[in-house]
Amino acid sequence: MTERQENRPDAAPAAPRSFMQRLLKFAPSDLIRLVFLCVLAGFFLAAFHVNPRRLWVDFFGTLAESWSRFIGFISDSALWAIDYLLLGAVLVVPIWIVVRVIRALRRD
């Protein structure tokens, strides 16, 4: 390249943008992403029965209540799973034992 081509006015680097220009610049995709994240956060908070009004008034109390509900949900789910595991084992384990015995007799 020659010096003449390097000094073209259209090849000059863009002037740096100010803080306010960078802060206030947004694209439509940013707005769509923001709406999607708000809806996702709303579903997540609704799953834990978080009331938005109460969240503004008593933030840490609401978090503590939501955490206790989450722990209760996990423990209830574990107890439910254990109950059904034992109920299914009453039927499945004897059948599994019979099938194992039958397979073992065939090979001998």
Side-chain angles (χ1 to χ4, degrees), residues 71-103:
I71 295 299
F73 171 75
I74 294 298
S75 64
D76 290 344
S77 298
L79 291 175
W80 173 86
I82 290 170
D83 287 344
Y84 281 97
L85 173 79
L86 295 175
L87 183 61
V90 169
L91 179 66
V92 172
V93 170
I95 293 172
W96 179 75
I97 291 172
V98 169
V99 168
R100 295 280 297 189
V101 168
I102 291 171
R103 284 184 183 168

Side-chain angles (χ1 to χ4, degrees), residues 37-100:
L37 290 174
C38 287
V39 170
L40 187 65
F43 280 135
F44 180 75
L45 292 173
F48 293 108
H49 303 285
V50 174
N51 184 347
R53 289 183 196 101
R54 185 148 182 261
L55 188 64
W56 279 107
V57 173
D58 185 17
F59 182 78
F60 291 108
T62 304
L63 287 180
E65 182 181 326
S66 296
W67 181 253
S68 67
R69 284 185 183 184
F70 176 72
I71 295 299
F73 171 75
I74 294 298
S75 64
D76 290 344
S77 298
L79 291 175
W80 173 86
I82 290 170
D83 287 344
Y84 281 97
L85 173 79
L86 295 175
L87 183 61
V90 169
L91 179 66
V92 172
V93 170
I95 293 172
W96 179 75
I97 291 172
V98 169
V99 168
R100 295 280 297 189

